[in-house]
Amino acid sequence: MKAGDSALGWIERNSAALIELSDKIWDYAEVGLQELRSAADQEQFLRAQGFEVRSGVAGMPSAFVASWGKGRPVVGFLGEYDSLPGLSQKTVPVKDPVQAGKPGHGCGHNLLGVAGLAGACALKAELELSGLPGTVRYHGSPAEETLVGKVFMAKDGIFDDLDVCLDWHPGAANVVRNGSSNAMNSVKFTFHGRTAHAAGDPHHGRSALDAVELMNVGANYLREHIIEKARIHYVITDGGGEPNVVPAHAQVWYYVRAPERAQVEEIYAWLRDIAKGAALMTQTTFDVRLLAGCYNYLPNQSLNRLLHRTMEQVGPNKWTEEELEFARKMNESFPAGQKEAGLRASKAPPEVFSQLINDTILPYRDDETPGGGSTDVGDVSWITPTGRFAAATGVLGQPGHSWQVAACSGMSIGHKGMLMAAKILALAGLELATNPEEVSKAREEWAGRTKDRPYKTPIPEGITPPLDQLPKH
Ligand SMILES: [Zn+2]
């Protein structure tokens, strides 16, 4: 038997149970901070595998840490299991919700979590058999979509003693990108005015909605004077009731994003000044509620190169005629040119353009340019070296956060991608557990990049996870 055989053997033997677990979570489709059943099923699975589980960590009922083993290195894996509102979808290639308007796994987090859990269990199986030292951790992290889970877990010091951490995300291609993500703040501004009859005696009213509108005008003028790569977007979550009542309350929810944490802080401070100005102009008052904030992902070349080598060792999935037919049908739902534009933007090699589902491994990309989005994996990467990759669990050309992703995440295309990801996580974890050089390389690179810039939680003291802000379904 060679190194890795026990880990891979564990995944082979347990693949049916892993698929069942992932399908259950897909079926629950619980949104952020409400993933109680998804977390409980994972915890039960891990306990049965001999892991010690701490439930409800960092003030979140659906957050947990599972740990096995002794001594160093401490190798961490990340898992998510939150769904997205409104993306309920059957496992068919045309839009057809299980229940219209209900949540669905439109980002494939049912696969994400189970592959992380499987990577941890498989690594444990190999270490246990060989008697090698090392601690394996799996972090059940809720509410990634709202950038809550790992940020509050980080604030509680949960990642502090990791030597290294491995993560992945379901996607349309097998690729290791060294790219960063945007740092971000999620914040709600609530204005308070005075109600009055909007026609009878408007002069007695003070409109909270006016304040929201003026704040948004201010924010839109602000755009000229911030760095080009920053992003500001908002929705009005409360705009009043009826036009004949001057709204006494109104609320706007903002996301502020930029490539670096310090840039987000700077723009966020200016935005708060704009809110002050809007309140002054309208004789209203306001309060600010920071819901979450996160760091940009700090790439780690050493870990990402290791993940790329391991991905090549594991090899890509091949797809059956049935799966390709599913993809062909799903392609009809994509606007013309969308797939090609996406592939060009991600610098995919020419052979990928003719594939329906990715069956190759894309070249390693060391370009660190951030994508537009944000993830709370960013916070973990500033606390411990963190490597990431994407595995093909869906159809090339699929939009992110879509019914198409939800459909693929509940059937064989998603399952196969998940098992491939589990193998990569387990084997890369084994390399780190048995080769101290790999760990020190990753840690040296990380130490160099975080020198003079230690992680400081973006969450001000006294703020707890936004359990009171849960959407109603
Ligand atoms: Zn996601």
Side-chain angles (χ1 to χ4, degrees), residues 80 107 109 144-145 169 401:
E80 298 161 12
C107 203
H109 290 185
E144 188 279 335
E145 297 294 355
H169 202 288
H401 289 186

Side-chain angles (χ1 to χ4, degrees), residues 126-133:
E126 174 114 8
L127 293 182
E128 192 169 38
L129 210 71
S130 58
L132 290 164

Side-chain angles (χ1 to χ4, degrees), residues 177-192:
R177 269 185 69 234
N178 207 41
S180 186
S181 59
N182 273 328
M184 180 182 133
N185 272 4
S186 163
V187 55
K188 283 183 175 171
F189 294 87
T190 309
F191 289 87
H192 313 281

